[in-house]
Amino acid sequence: MKKEFKTEIIETKQPIKLYSIIFGILYLLANFYLFLYNKENQNIYLKYLSLIILLFGAYYIFGESFKKPKVVGVFKISEKYISINLDRIENKIGINEIESIFLKYMGYGSLTTHSIYGNKNYLKILKKNGENYNFEILLRDKKMKNEFKNVLNNIEINEKFNFTKINNSKTEF
């Protein structure tokens, strides 16, 4: 039985920390103004501004999981080689050329996780010649996770494979 796994290599945008801090402070101030400040002394314009800030906050809290990640390539692993296709350039790496494979596991996608499109899992491949590859792969559902796990349980790959479960992951690998 030939074991093979294929998924997308993705790129996610990281929020700018300064904007996140500023917006977090504004969100706290808007909550304080709307719910704790004396309602008789509230300015109507500040009240509407606070409501708008709360609505933007709700969008960013709940709307982020509906954003589709940007696909930048394809990752394929089989018993004999690993294929990394980035920007229409395909790199094939033989299993015997690999020193180690490391996965930071966050889980797979579902309605109860952060993204409905699949969770982003970070993969690092280190070749024996010192060359390494770092990228994010997408695991869409439990079936896809199990296919990936079955390929990694191959004897040649399994001894080179290691993973870390990130703290907020709700599922076991």
Side-chain angles (χ1 to χ4, degrees):
M1 182 171 112
K2 186 174 181 181
K3 294 181 180 180
E4 186 173 279
F5 175 76
K6 183 178 177 182
T7 188
E8 293 95 7
I9 298 173
I10 58 169
E11 186 177 278
T12 54
K13 292 182 181 177
Q14 297 297 326
I16 300 170
K17 278 194 172 186
L18 179 64
Y19 292 154
S20 298
I21 292 170
I22 291 171
F23 188 76
I25 291 169
L26 287 174
Y27 191 75
L28 289 173
L29 289 173
N31 275 306
F32 173 78
Y33 191 77
L34 284 176
F35 300 114
L36 298 176
Y37 192 71
N38 187 1
K39 299 211 185 274
E40 296 152 1
N41 296 335
Q42 286 183 346
N43 182 331
I44 191 78
Y45 298 113
L46 284 177
K47 192 175 189 178
Y48 286 133
L49 179 64
S50 296
L51 186 61
I52 290 170
I53 291 171
L54 286 180
L55 290 174
F56 273 121
Y59 169 75
Y60 283 110
I61 289 171
F62 299 111
E64 285 296 311
S65 57
F66 295 107
K67 284 187 177 178
K68 192 171 186 176
K70 180 181 176 187
V71 177
V72 294
V74 176
F75 171 75
K76 190 185 332 182
I77 186 168
S78 69
E79 294 175 343
K80 303 219 186 283
Y81 66 90
I82 292 176
S83 174
I84 302 166
N85 190 342
L86 283 170
D87 299 323
R88 297 185 179 139
I89 299 171
E90 185 173 9
N91 295 325
K92 282 193 177 183
I93 306 166
I95 296 299
N96 57 354
E97 298 175 37
I98 295 174
E99 184 174 320
S100 65
I101 301 172
F102 186 73
L103 173 71
K104 284 186 183 176
Y105 179 69
M106 292 184 69
Y108 52 86
S110 70
L111 290 175
T112 60
T113 59
H114 179 68
S115 174
I116 62 171
Y117 293 103
N119 264 347
K120 298 113 185 137
N121 295 281
Y122 302 93
L123 192 66
K124 181 178 183 177
I125 299 171
L126 181 62
K127 289 175 65 174
K128 289 181 180 175
N129 66 3
E131 191 177 347
N132 66 1
Y133 297 91
N134 291 317
F135 47 85
E136 295 175 80
I137 61 170
L138 197 62
L139 295 178
R140 293 191 184 280
D141 53 19
K142 189 174 184 176
K143 180 184 172 201
M144 194 174 209
K145 178 200 86 160
N146 288 333
E147 289 173 4
F148 187 43
K149 194 174 179 179
N150 286 337
V151 170
L152 291 174
N153 283 336
N154 180 344
I155 295 170
E156 288 184 48
I157 299 173
N158 193 23
E159 60 195 30
K160 299 174 184 186
F161 176 70
N162 194 3
F163 79 96
T164 297
K165 180 180 163 189
I166 296 180
N167 293 341
N168 62 356
S169 175
K170 296 178 181 177
T171 60
E172 294 294 324
F173 187 72

